[in-house]
Amino acid sequence: MDGKSSLLLLASAIILLQSTSSGETESCPGRYCGRTIDEASGKISECGACPRGSRSNGTFCNKCTNTLQMYDWSYLGFTFLTALVLHWFFVDYFSKRSQQAIIILFACGAIETTCAAFFTLLLNEPKGTLSLTSCSSEHLSDWYTVFYNPKPDYVNTIHCTNEAVYPLYTIVLTFYAICVAMLLVIRPLMSHYICAGQGLSSIYAGMYFLPILTAIHAILGGLLYYTYPYIILVSSVLSTATVLAKNHITGFRQLLGSKRLVAIMIGHWLLLAYGLLALTQVSKPVVHGPMFFLVTTPVIFYLATSSLTDPSKFKR
């Protein structure tokens, strides 16, 4: 924190203390309304929306100075993995000819997503660094402040909509926007000059699913934040069963005979491990550590029981 910010914070505390003791400054109505202090004159504003990068304490807007917790970083990692996995899925789905082209397009997807994440971090406070300052998410309502504009007199609304979970809401939107830019800059060149025109369909797919992800986050960001570990775990298990069933894998030999499927299963195990990490935060290593050995359980269970559900074994 620089000297100017320290002086402003000290002035806010002094004014708040004096105002509270004299009874002059009342708490703002609503959960997210706050007052700001003019740096030059020290004048206190009326209750309203806090500037971006700050959050109301009930009376004044305080600058966000917290560091992201492990759960917050895991959530940002979830958005990163969502974009990356979808890129890889559509590359694998549409590219059926050259193995070399598929590998190059996989690398393109990874480079695009990584560059987008890198530039997104640089653009957020503190700018030019890979660290972030934030206001912690305390309630689901923190993500939907637009629905909590108070009406003190039941007639006039005080508009206090702001990003109470700064920067967890806007940083994801920025990330997806930069992902689109990276997709349009890197992938067409690689597809045209190196992959002999392959990968065009995966480019179009990215131009569809990235805006869709943006809309989902804009509407359901708070719900995703509080449920993403479960989303990872459930989707990974369901995806494992879908891949094995679609490829008619009923035994371990069949699975090990396909390098592509082995790579896909390893990816699913890593996703399961990430979901467990996000869910448990490994707060109790002795208890949570052994749970990571369970990531292979869905594959083992499926292959061990697939013969019991073979339709050909059931007589009409």
Side-chain angles (χ1 to χ4, degrees):
M1 184 182 298
D2 56 18
K4 190 175 183 180
S5 300
S6 301
L7 291 175
L8 181 60
L9 185 60
L10 180 61
S12 301
I14 294 174
I15 293 174
L16 175 61
L17 182 61
Q18 292 176 344
S19 301
T20 303
S21 61
S22 61
E24 295 177 359
T25 304
E26 298 179 354
S27 298
C28 290
R31 185 179 297 176
Y32 303 105
C33 297
R35 296 179 173 87
T36 58
I37 302 175
D38 185 82
E39 296 183 13
S41 63
K43 185 178 180 181
I44 303 175
S45 69
E46 296 295 328
C47 292
C50 290
R52 185 171 186 265
S54 62
R55 177 172 175 167
S56 173
N57 62 1
T59 304
F60 288 96
C61 297
N62 292 332
K63 188 174 181 179
C64 298
T65 57
N66 298 332
T67 57
L68 289 185
Q69 301 298 315
M70 183 178 179
Y71 187 87
D72 301 324
W73 282 113
S74 299
Y75 174 69
L76 297 181
F78 164 71
T79 62
F80 173 86
L81 288 175
T82 301
L84 178 61
V85 169
L86 286 175
H87 275 310
W88 284 353
F89 170 79
F90 285 110
V91 167
D92 180 72
Y93 183 81
F94 289 115
S95 300
K96 302 298 183 182
R97 290 180 290 173
S98 172
Q99 190 72 21
Q100 181 181 1
I102 293 177
I103 294 174
I104 292 174
L105 292 174
F106 268 41
C108 283
I111 292 172
E112 293 160 8
T113 312
T114 303
C115 288
F118 180 75
F119 290 133
T120 301
L121 291 176
L122 293 180
L123 290 173
N124 282 270
E125 296 291 342
K127 293 184 178 180
T129 68
L130 298 181
S131 60
L132 293 171
T133 56
S134 71
C135 288
S136 302
S137 176
E138 300 172 359
H139 308 281
L140 180 61
S141 60
D142 294 345
W143 291 79
Y144 304 102
T145 58
V146 67
F147 299 115
Y148 293 88
N149 293 319
K151 289 185 178 181
D153 57 359
Y154 301 99
V155 177
N156 300 307
T157 301
I158 300 178
H159 296 281
C160 299
T161 302
N162 68 322
E163 188 179 7
V165 294
Y166 172 87
L168 295 177
Y169 188 84
T170 54
I171 194 173
V172 176
L173 302 178
T174 304
F175 169 69
Y176 286 142
I178 298 178
C179 276
V180 174
M182 292 293 103
L183 172 68
L184 297 178
V185 169
I186 298 175
R187 192 83 62 89
L189 296 176
M190 301 298 291
S191 175
H192 179 73
Y193 290 105
I194 299 179
C195 300
Q198 289 195 61
L200 293 179
S201 296
S202 64
I203 296 174
Y204 293 131
M207 294 175 65
Y208 277 102
F209 74 72
L210 286 172
I212 291 174
L213 290 177
T214 302
I216 291 174
H217 174 76
I219 299 172
L220 303 175
L223 296 175
L224 291 175
Y225 176 80
Y226 286 105
T227 60
Y228 78 89
Y230 306 98
I231 293 174
I232 294 174
L233 294 175
V234 172
S235 61
S236 182
V237 171
L238 294 178
S239 179
T240 297
T242 301
V243 170
L244 294 176
K246 183 179 179 181
N247 290 275
H248 307 288
I249 303 298
T250 58
F252 290 98
R253 288 186 178 181
Q254 284 180 289
L255 176 61
L256 296 176
S258 173
K259 294 181 180 179
R260 173 178 171 272
L261 291 179
V262 169
I264 292 175
M265 289 301 105
I266 292 175
H268 281 78
W269 295 343
L270 293 176
L271 287 177
L272 278 172
Y274 188 84
L276 288 173
L277 176 65
L279 182 63
T280 65
Q281 304 293 298
V282 198
S283 56
K284 299 178 181 179
V286 176
V287 177
H288 299 146
M291 295 175 64
F292 289 90
F293 291 103
L294 299 176
V295 296
T296 59
T297 302
V299 175
I300 295 174
F301 179 81
Y302 180 92
L303 296 178
T305 59
S306 61
S307 60
L308 302 177
T309 58
D310 187 354
S312 63
K313 294 185 178 181
F314 292 92
K315 295 182 180 180
R316 294 183 179 180

